[in-house]
């Protein structure tokens, strides 16, 4: 039960923290490939975390993987 709650909170935090970060990072640049990476990363992170929660027996691993995908897309947008 505790792992399910932790996984759900991590997934909610990805959404709550991810949306303002997407606005702060992406939209000042206009519509470019660089500006599309954070929103796509957030969407991919949410989808991957949702799929992995259902497919694995460890519910925390899904949201953590979603955070990794989102962070990788943010890092890539800063690197480009």
């Amino acid at each position: 039960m505790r792992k399910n709650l932790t996984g759900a909170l991590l997934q909610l935090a990805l959404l709550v923290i991810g949306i303002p970060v997407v606005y702060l990072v992406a939209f000042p640049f206009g519509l470019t490939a660089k500006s599309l990476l954070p929103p796509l990363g957030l969407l991919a992170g949410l989808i991957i975390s949702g799929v992995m929660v259902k497919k694995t027996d460890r519910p925390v691993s899904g949201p953590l993987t979603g955070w990794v995908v989102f962070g990788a897309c943010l890092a890539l947008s800063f690197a480009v």
Side-chain angles (χ1 to χ4, degrees):
M1 177 69 179
R2 186 177 173 108
K3 286 184 180 181
N4 287 339
L5 183 62
T6 304
L9 288 175
L10 281 170
Q11 204 165 4
L12 180 64
L14 178 61
L15 193 62
V16 169
I17 293 170
I19 290 174
V21 169
V22 164
Y23 277 105
L24 289 174
V25 172
F27 292 108
F29 296 105
L31 192 60
T32 63
K34 182 178 182 178
S35 70
L36 289 176
L37 282 172
L40 290 176
L42 179 62
L43 183 62
L46 288 170
I47 291 171
I48 287 171
S49 64
V51 167
M52 286 191 68
V53 163
K54 291 179 182 176
K55 295 214 179 250
T56 63
D57 55 348
R58 293 178 296 171
V60 176
S61 66
L64 288 178
T65 307
W67 273 101
V68 170
V69 170
F70 180 55
C73 287
L74 279 178
L76 189 59
S77 70
F78 283 124
V80 174

